[in-house]
Amino acid sequence: MEEKEISKAVIRRLPRYYRYLGELIESGVERISSSELSSRMKVTASQIRQDLNNFGGFGQQGYGYNVKFLYSEIAKILGLDKKHNVIIIGAGNLGHAIANYVAFEKRGFIMTALFDINPERIGKKIRDIEVLPLSELEAYIKENEVDIATLTIPKTAAKEVAERLVNCGVKAIWNFAHTDLNLPEDVLVENVHLSESLMRLSYNITSVEKSREEQK
Amino acid sequence: MEEKEISKAVIRRLPRYYRYLGELIESGVERISSSELSSRMKVTASQIRQDLNNFGGFGQQGYGYNVKFLYSEIAKILGLDKKHNVIIIGAGNLGHAIANYVAFEKRGFIMTALFDINPERIGKKIRDIEVLPLSELEAYIKENEVDIATLTIPKTAAKEVAERLVNCGVKAIWNFAHTDLNLPEDVLVENVHLSESLMRLSYNITSVEKSREEQK
DNA sequence: TAGATTGTTAATCGATTAACAATC
DNA sequence: TAGATTGTTAATCGATTAACAATC
């Protein structure tokens, strides 16, 4: 009913609020004002209050925000109160790194299987997650619930595999391949383009150098 | 002299233009109009022209843009025409993945060394990049030019190592640790927070589910 | 109650899109 | 020359910040 349509900018900031609140809990802080959080996170207090109020009034006038309560509310908003089964296509180093990262499980992301085409990798286990042959992808998805498919394969294979996933009904893809996947609108794609990230850093290095030269 | 101050939004899009232009070159396209590129990239033609004109007039009225020329101009803007020496702190799976990704070298990012504290990893080689003990970090940086330091270590170690890097004069950090580094203003930090990316995907999954429920 | 701080409206700022004159 | 398409200005849209009344 209340369709306010949350902007991407707000969503981009939510996980960061969540992370800071988690740290506050660890250090035993029970309540926090938007201005105190503002100085820690280096964003304006106004923005914090605006962002949070997109989802409801989590604070209390004169008091601020209860850290634990706000933390759990943001968890709900982000869907971290639900389990998500995640498969990983591509059991190379990057696939390994993600499968090994146990903190994901804590947030409800359960890594259930890896897939690869390399016979040497098939059958091996990472933690207790088995590496299956890519040829069994469809059969696996038919028998197991898959909420998120992670693509850690070269870009040459990515588009084809993505289509196979979509044909099996997978609705969310975490894409590490260096390419855009052109998929139907109802399929959610979250891209992690490492090379683009590195180029942005390179851009900033370059523009600092240029402005230093100009000062001479 | 001409300090227009390019917005972050523009910089975020530049590597994507670069990628598409690279693909166009590969498929033999010699020239392209902003509207043709617009339909491929799913951004407005107006935005493409605005973005590019921040850096100069690369096109020609009535013709469009020469693909190879524009590609090489964007490369220059991104600093890809210069070599950047990159070290990697943390020779785990993620560090391995990055060290193994040869496409970075093509763009001028030369991986020169890995560092780790785990004795089992020290001395090993990835391609021909050696894994050195973290204790030698300072000595290495003194003797070798390091343009970018990559942090692929747990967040507990990240802040301390980042400070060591800054003390040695490193001016750019590519940070994969799940934490913010609070460093001096003149140190450039590019964050890759994988868990935040996964949470954004989870948010979108959740909000699709919610809107489906509301429709009932 | 007085002080603190939120929730929310209004003002500002910046980014995107539209339009069109310039020009190849 | 006529047609196409850029470069650029102006209009619109959206996001951020400021301000303050509501209220704990």
Side-chain angles (χ1 to χ4, degrees):
Chain A
M1 29 166 284
E2 30 150 338
E3 290 294 290
K4 280 176 231 167
E5 196 56 59
I6 311 299
S7 83
K8 276 192 185 178
V10 173
I11 298 159
R12 210 176 305 129
R13 288 190 291 267
L14 276 183
R16 190 156 175 265
Y17 292 132
Y18 184 73
R19 177 156 51 82
Y20 272 82
L21 289 165
E23 286 172 10
L24 286 171
I25 289 174
E26 274 177 35
S27 48
V29 176
E30 283 189 2
R31 66 160 158 142
I32 194 151
S33 68
S34 59
S35 71
E36 166 68 11
L37 191 57
S38 140
S39 70
R40 290 185 191 238
M41 295 187 63
K42 286 162 191 165
V43 295
T44 64
S46 207
Q47 182 164 75
I48 293 173
R49 295 202 298 276
Q50 283 278 21
D51 282 354
L52 297 178
N53 274 87
N54 280 301
F55 304 97
F58 301 128
Q60 203 167 72
Q61 285 96 328
Y63 173 90
Y65 299 88
N66 178 293
V67 176
K68 273 189 189 165
F69 174 71
L70 185 55
Y71 184 74
S72 77
E73 286 298 311
I74 295 180
K76 274 187 228 165
I77 293 164
L78 291 170
L80 308 180
D81 57 332
K82 305 231 176 68
K83 296 260 176 284
H84 290 99
N85 290 332
V86 181
I87 61 171
I88 300 168
I89 326 281
N93 286 311
L94 193 49
H96 262 73
I98 290 165
N100 268 321
Y101 192 65
V102 289
F104 289 146
E105 316 264 305
K106 265 199 321 202
R107 305 277 142 80
F109 300 101
I110 318 294
M111 310 288 162
T112 55
L114 288 121
F115 292 87
D116 209 296
I117 48 165
N118 186 338
E120 282 177 29
R121 288 174 181 164
I122 292 163
K124 295 219 171 124
K125 283 195 173 185
I126 299 169
R127 294 191 291 140
D128 51 349
I129 313 157
E130 205 174 355
V131 181
L132 303 171
L134 187 59
S135 57
E136 287 177 21
L137 183 67
E138 282 80 0
Y140 180 91
I141 297 175
K142 233 154 255 170
E143 293 191 11
N144 300 274
E145 206 192 304
V146 172
D147 302 304
I148 297 170
T150 309
L151 287 186
T152 49
I153 52 178
K155 67 163 185 268
T156 44
K159 285 188 207 238
E160 187 219 311
V161 172
E163 276 167 28
R164 285 172 63 186
L165 289 164
V166 169
N167 286 338
C168 298
V170 170
K171 286 277 176 280
I173 293 179
W174 198 20
N175 177 40
F176 287 75
H178 301 232
T179 186
D180 291 344
L181 311 167
N182 278 348
L183 300 174
E185 275 210 345
D186 66 326
V187 179
L188 300 167
V189 178
E190 169 76 20
N191 290 307
V192 181
H193 290 316
L194 295 187
S195 58
E196 296 188 5
S197 170
L198 187 52
M199 287 181 202
R200 282 191 289 273
L201 184 55
S202 169
Y203 170 86
N204 286 318
I205 293 170
T206 309
S207 69
V208 167
E209 278 168 6
K210 272 184 193 149
S211 67
R212 211 177 317 122
E213 273 168 34
E214 275 168 22
Q215 283 202 326
K216 281 180 197 167
Chain B
M1 29 167 286
E2 31 151 337
E3 290 295 291
K4 281 178 230 165
E5 196 57 59
I6 310 299
S7 83
K8 276 192 185 178
V10 174
I11 298 161
R12 210 177 304 129
R13 288 190 290 268
L14 276 183
R16 189 155 174 266
Y17 291 132
Y18 184 72
R19 179 156 50 83
Y20 272 82
L21 289 165
E23 286 171 12
L24 287 170
I25 289 175
E26 272 176 37
S27 48
V29 177
E30 282 188 4
R31 66 160 157 141
I32 194 150
S33 68
S34 58
S35 71
E36 167 66 10
L37 191 56
S38 140
S39 71
R40 289 185 190 236
M41 295 187 63
K42 286 162 190 165
V43 294
T44 63
S46 206
Q47 182 163 76
I48 293 172
R49 295 202 300 276
Q50 283 278 22
D51 283 354
L52 297 178
N53 275 88
N54 281 300
F55 304 97
F58 301 127
Q60 202 166 72
Q61 283 98 330
Y63 174 89
Y65 298 87
N66 178 294
V67 176
K68 274 190 190 165
F69 174 71
L70 185 55
Y71 184 73
S72 77
E73 286 299 310
I74 295 181
K76 275 187 227 164
I77 294 163
L78 291 171
L80 308 180
D81 56 334
K82 305 232 176 68
K83 296 259 176 286
H84 290 101
N85 289 332
V86 182
I87 61 171
I88 300 168
I89 327 281
N93 287 310
L94 193 49
H96 262 72
I98 291 165
N100 268 320
Y101 191 65
V102 289
F104 289 146
E105 316 264 305
K106 266 199 321 200
R107 305 277 141 80
F109 301 101
I110 318 294
M111 310 287 162
T112 56
L114 287 122
F115 292 86
D116 209 297
I117 48 166
N118 187 337
E120 281 176 30
R121 289 174 182 163
I122 293 164
K124 295 218 170 123
K125 283 195 172 186
I126 300 169
R127 291 193 292 141
D128 51 350
I129 312 158
E130 205 175 356
V131 181
L132 302 172
L134 188 58
S135 55
E136 287 176 21
L137 183 67
E138 282 80 2
Y140 180 90
I141 298 176
K142 235 153 254 171
E143 293 190 12
N144 300 274
E145 207 193 302
V146 173
D147 302 304
I148 297 170
T150 310
L151 287 186
T152 50
I153 51 179
K155 66 162 185 271
T156 43
K159 286 188 205 237
E160 188 220 310
V161 172
E163 278 166 29
R164 286 173 63 186
L165 289 163
V166 169
N167 286 338
C168 299
V170 170
K171 286 276 176 280
I173 292 179
W174 198 20
N175 176 41
F176 287 75
H178 301 233
T179 186
D180 290 344
L181 310 168
N182 277 348
L183 300 174
E185 274 209 345
D186 66 326
V187 179
L188 300 167
V189 179
E190 169 76 21
N191 290 307
V192 181
H193 289 317
L194 294 187
S195 58
E196 296 188 5
S197 170
L198 186 52
M199 287 182 202
R200 283 191 288 272
L201 184 55
S202 170
Y203 170 86
N204 287 318
I205 293 170
T206 309
S207 70
V208 167
E209 278 168 8
K210 271 184 193 148
S211 67
R212 211 174 321 120
E213 273 167 35
E214 274 167 23
Q215 283 202 327
K216 281 180 200 169

